[in-house]
Amino acid sequence: MGMKKYRVVWKKKIEKRLRKCPKYVQEKFWVLVNDIRNTGPVQKGWSNFSALGKNLYHCHLDYSWVAVWYCEADSIIVEVTYVGSREDAPY
């Protein structure tokens, strides 16, 4: 039996916000998405990773750039709810 794969989803506004990030931050975001797909929402290897509340997580893509995602308990669907500057982050 293979490992469980997660499905990472987001709304259109996330793509719009991502395009405003520097290229290297965009590239790190795709690495994060791949890590979440392969190993799930808990990403302790990422800089400043932490749980923000029940099933809500975040990490830094760089000093000034963050990603936030949500995963219902026991679900394989992970939703990215924010990507962008730390200053505008919803926490």
Side-chain angles (χ1 to χ4, degrees):
M1 187 164 145
M3 287 194 41
K4 174 164 67 170
K5 286 275 191 192
Y6 288 79
R7 193 165 144 235
V8 183
V9 300
W10 51 81
K11 293 185 170 46
K12 279 265 189 261
K13 68 179 181 182
I14 296 298
E15 291 176 21
K16 208 175 278 185
R17 292 192 70 88
L18 185 61
R19 283 195 293 270
K20 293 178 181 173
C21 296
K23 190 87 177 136
Y24 75 96
V25 171
Q26 293 179 36
E27 289 166 1
K28 283 184 88 171
F29 172 78
W30 293 116
V31 173
L32 173 65
V33 166
N34 200 44
D35 285 353
I36 292 171
R37 276 189 185 126
N38 290 320
T39 61
V42 177
Q43 292 295 321
K44 293 183 177 168
W46 279 81
S47 176
N48 293 73
F49 169 82
S50 68
L52 297 174
K54 193 168 170 60
N55 308 320
L56 187 66
Y57 308 93
H58 102 296
C59 75
H60 287 209
L61 300 170
D62 179 83
Y63 179 77
S64 301
W65 303 92
V66 300
V68 180
W69 61 97
Y70 177 81
C71 184
E72 198 64 53
D74 300 322
S75 174
I76 62 160
I77 297 173
V78 177
E79 182 178 359
V80 176
T81 57
Y82 178 83
V83 63
S85 74
R86 211 174 63 173
E87 290 77 36
D88 297 335
Y91 55 81

